[in-house]
Amino acid sequence: MQRFVRCPRYFRRTSCICVSSFRSAASTVCERKTYRVFGAGAALLPFGAVFFSSTVFCEGENESCPVRLPCRPKDSMFVSDFPVIAAVVTPFNEETGELNTGVIPKYIEHLERQRCDGVFVSGTAGEGPCCTVTERKQLMEAWKNHLTAANSRLRLIVHVGCAALEDARELAEHAWSIGVDGIAAVPPFYIKPHTPHALAESMKYIADGAPSLPFFYYHFPAMTGVHIPAAVVVPLLRDRIPTFRGIKYTDRNITDFASVSTQPGANELLLMGGFDDMARVMLKYGANGWIGGCVGVIGDHIKRMIEADRACDIETAQSESEFIYKLTDLFDMLGLIPGLRAAHHAVGVEVGRHPRLPSLGLDKEQVTDVRQWMHDVGLL
């Protein structure tokens, strides 16, 4: 028996229908409720993609509400059982373009008001690959020092991925020496690893530079050009890297992500999504954490959406999701990097209008227009 449903918002860029398959059902008990878990798979038909969900359905009340069982890694580095982490923008001086780390204390206050659980530094939103190794060291030091001075509960994960493995290893060693909470890395993205084993060995080389820090694999094939499925890579990373703790999954391949989340031992990992407009669907497929650019702007809305979705409060979850869709639509129009900078300006965090080339910033009038638009649609 199968139930066909209309394609939801988070697949809006594809031609698809979504299928919840009632095959291979297995029951489990959680918090005195019985749940039925269904298998995962996919098929490609002439009219689009069909996804067989690994969704969990409550039996009894709210039977139509799909939820995902809590999947908290043992010895978690976060207090929350579903950490929501801001992929922070690197602040640049408006005039010189140099790092402006003096903004970070105000940034921390804003993120704590948004109920964020951590910061992800020097990732895509932070233009890490556009900064020098020296600048990235200075940036992680500044975040570490300001978080410590503020006695902040925010955890610090630093992205160290580079085109050159030696640079990534150097950044990992520095992150370890100053005591950050974790590191993450994309694979080399110019001379790329073309086999799963080459990719795993590359990640191991980076992680070995910080032998006691939790390591997260940053899977973002659209940016890196490395399209090796995460479901193939993750078991290799678990075998090779003692400190491997999870993945930042920034892709729209739900079948691949579902394969990761249903592997043996997946409950010991943090499986964190990265495309903010995919948050609700990835919850159904096993995400137990989130790292996104929208979090730094509207983290509280994302928190409320996740809490409502997990509680089967579909109306609230959908309402909160609309804020995410509005913001991601803005980024689609303006470009992620300039859009994020304008949105941060609108919420009072002055990270600078101008990103690093090859991205181009918005002029002052455009930034003002963004703030007015965010106000008009209820984002401020």
Side-chain angles (χ1 to χ4, degrees):
M1 171 175 135
Q2 294 178 336
R3 185 179 64 168
F4 291 79
V5 295
R6 199 177 282 273
C7 177
R9 165 69 185 231
Y10 31 71
F11 287 122
R12 68 187 188 278
R13 295 183 178 87
T14 66
S15 171
C16 72
I17 59 174
C18 301
V19 181
S20 295
S21 175
F22 287 4
R23 298 175 300 169
S24 305
S27 294
T28 185
V29 176
C30 178
E31 296 180 354
R32 293 175 296 179
K33 289 183 180 179
T34 302
Y35 296 85
R36 197 167 295 277
V37 185
F38 304 99
L44 194 62
L45 300 179
F47 51 82
V50 176
F51 294 87
F52 300 99
S53 104
S54 57
T55 303
V56 182
F57 289 85
C58 303
E59 290 187 335
E61 62 176 328
N62 293 329
E63 282 193 16
S64 63
C65 167
V67 299
R68 181 73 192 192
L69 297 179
C71 185
R72 180 182 173 86
K74 63 183 181 181
D75 303 321
S76 176
M77 61 192 290
F78 296 95
V79 174
S80 170
D81 68 351
F82 195 108
V84 174
I85 301 164
V88 293
V89 174
T90 297
F92 294 132
N93 184 283
E94 193 78 12
E95 303 299 327
T96 66
E98 297 177 351
L99 293 181
N100 181 19
T101 57
V103 174
I104 292 176
K106 187 172 183 178
Y107 207 162
I108 292 171
E109 293 175 3
H110 169 73
L111 295 174
E112 290 185 334
R113 286 195 300 271
Q114 293 296 314
R115 297 198 294 153
C116 298
D117 298 295
V119 294
F120 187 79
V121 173
S122 291
T124 306
E127 302 173 71
C130 296
C131 297
T132 67
V133 169
T134 298
E135 286 177 322
R136 291 172 71 171
K137 288 181 179 179
Q138 293 171 348
L139 188 62
M140 69 173 83
E141 289 171 6
W143 273 101
K144 171 64 176 177
N145 292 338
H146 285 302
L147 287 169
T148 301
N151 194 27
S152 176
R153 57 178 174 74
L154 298 173
R155 296 290 181 261
L156 173 59
I157 300 176
V158 176
H159 172 243
V160 300
C162 297
L165 274 180
E166 291 300 329
D167 289 346
R169 172 73 174 239
E170 182 179 341
L171 288 169
E173 291 172 352
H174 190 70
W176 183 45
S177 71
I178 66 173
V180 307
D181 296 301
I183 60 171
V186 294
F189 45 82
Y190 186 70
I191 305 297
K192 303 175 181 62
H194 288 290
T195 69
H197 291 284
L199 175 51
E201 285 300 314
S202 299
M203 295 297 97
K204 181 180 187 306
Y205 184 73
I206 297 171
D208 285 349
S212 62
L213 286 184
F215 177 81
F216 298 90
Y217 171 53
Y218 188 176
H219 180 73
F220 198 172
M223 292 294 278
T224 64
V226 178
H227 294 278
I228 300 170
V232 176
V233 177
V234 166
L236 299 177
L237 299 180
R238 286 172 59 86
D239 289 342
R240 286 170 166 79
I241 303 175
T243 55
F244 179 64
R245 292 294 300 279
I247 185 170
K248 181 184 188 299
Y249 193 93
T250 308
D251 195 12
R252 298 186 185 276
N253 188 338
I254 295 301
T255 303
D256 181 39
F257 183 75
S259 297
V260 173
S261 69
T262 54
Q263 290 178 356
N267 64 318
E268 297 179 2
L269 301 176
L270 273 169
L271 308 176
M272 299 180 284
F275 277 137
D276 292 308
D277 59 344
M278 295 280 289
R280 286 194 69 197
V281 70
M282 292 189 76
L283 277 168
K284 311 301 182 294
Y285 286 85
N288 57 9
W290 202 260
I291 301 176
C294 287
V295 176
V297 182
I298 55 168
D300 193 46
H301 286 294
I302 295 174
K303 273 275 194 181
R304 288 201 292 264
M305 182 274 293
I306 291 168
E307 291 164 354
D309 197 84
R310 298 176 83 197
C312 287
D313 182 355
I314 300 302
E315 183 177 350
T316 299
Q318 183 60 38
S319 174
E320 295 295 339
S321 294
E322 290 301 319
F323 291 104
I324 304 172
Y325 302 147
K326 289 172 183 176
L327 196 57
T328 54
D329 283 345
L330 176 70
F331 297 159
D332 285 345
M333 290 186 290
L334 300 177
L336 174 65
I337 303 303
L340 270 172
R341 289 187 173 276
H344 276 75
H345 174 82
V347 297
V349 181
E350 300 292 346
V351 293
R353 288 184 296 116
H354 299 297
R356 290 280 169 89
L357 288 170
S359 297
L360 296 175
L362 306 180
D363 60 35
K364 290 183 179 179
E365 183 177 348
Q366 289 173 310
V367 171
T368 300
D369 289 344
V370 167
R371 191 185 191 288
Q372 184 61 52
W373 178 85
M374 290 177 64
H375 179 271
D376 291 345
V377 300
L379 288 171
L380 297 179

